[in-house]
Amino acid sequence: MALIQCTACDHRISDKAVACPSCGHPSGHDRQGALRVLGSVAGTYISSTTLASLALGVTMFVCTAAVLITLILHS
Ligand SMILES: [Zn+2]
């Protein structure tokens, strides 16, 4: 395993890496595989952000509901 320099940000990355972990620029040693892996990485990223916003939404809803219930019970 050798280290090569990212063409986009000069970050040192593995020649086995399909994309720079710093900026996400594809290293280009295996275009087809890189695109496939990038697609799955993008899919994971999208689903993880969706999950995060969903969790945040649920947390906000529970907090709002708790505040409302407290206000109603104390009025
Ligand atoms: Zn980079």
Side-chain angles (χ1 to χ4, degrees):
M1 192 177 96
L3 284 175
I4 56 169
Q5 235 169 15
C6 173
T7 52
C9 71
D10 290 342
H11 193 86
R12 289 177 71 76
I13 59 173
S14 163
D15 64 345
K16 299 276 191 294
V18 292
C20 172
S22 178
C23 70
H25 189 83
S27 65
H29 78 94
D30 180 11
R31 283 278 167 202
Q32 205 68 24
L35 282 176
R36 197 168 56 240
V37 172
L38 276 177
S40 66
V41 167
T44 311
Y45 178 72
I46 288 163
S47 61
S48 67
T49 48
T50 307
L51 278 174
S53 57
L54 194 72
L56 188 71
V58 169
T59 309
M60 292 290 279
F61 176 77
V62 168
C63 288
T64 311
V67 169
L68 282 176
I69 289 167
T70 309
L71 284 174
I72 290 164
L73 286 179
H74 285 265
S75 62

